Amino acid sequence: MTDTAADPVVLINVYTCKPEQLDTLMDLLAVMVRTQREAEGFISATLHRGLNGKGAAVHAVWRSAADWKAMARGSAVNAAMEPIMAIATFAPQLYEAGEFID
C-alpha cells in the first residue's frame, strides 16, 4: 500500500453482537460515524446490517491511514466506541482503495 496523501484508504470494520442487540448496535454505530465525520480526513461511511441478524459492518473512506489513526486516538470517538465495545466485538481492517466494478 502506498502512503501518499493522494491515496485514500478504506476501513472495513465488522461487528458481531447478540441478535437482540443488533438494533442498538446500529444506532450506536450511527452515532459513532457522525462523530467521525468531524475528524480531519473523513471522506464517507456506509453502515451495513448483517442479514444473519448477528452483526454489522462499517465501510468508511479516509484520506489517509494517518488520518484514520489520528481519529481512532480521539477522545470523542473513543467515548462513542465505549457503548459499542460493551455489546459487540469488532475487527477493523484498512485496505487500499480498489476498483469499482458495476
Side-chain angles (χ1 to χ4, degrees), residues 72-94:
R73 291 188 298 268
S75 60
V77 170
N78 283 311
M81 281 296 296
E82 282 184 30
I84 293 169
M85 292 186 298
I87 65 168
T89 59
F90 58 98
Q93 181 68 45
L94 287 178

Side-chain angles (χ1 to χ4, degrees), residues 9-61:
V9 295
V10 175
L11 168 73
I12 298 176
N13 200 348
V14 177
Y15 297 81
T16 304
C17 66
K18 295 178 182 175
E20 63 270 16
Q21 295 175 317
L22 185 55
D23 289 338
T24 300
L25 177 60
M26 295 303 295
D27 291 342
L28 292 170
L29 290 174
V31 169
M32 188 259 311
V33 168
R34 283 193 289 276
T35 302
Q36 289 179 339
R37 285 185 358 198
E38 303 302 316
E40 185 74 23
F42 176 87
I43 296 173
S44 66
T46 306
L47 304 179
H48 304 275
R49 176 187 287 269
L51 293 177
N52 67 1
K54 298 178 185 175
V58 175
H59 173 272
V61 181

Side-chain angles (χ1 to χ4, degrees), residues 1-2 7-11 60-65 68 94-97:
M1 175 164 56
T2 60
D7 294 327
V9 295
V10 175
L11 168 73
V61 181
W62 289 86
R63 180 178 56 197
S64 68
W68 177 80
L94 287 178
Y95 298 88
E96 293 178 342

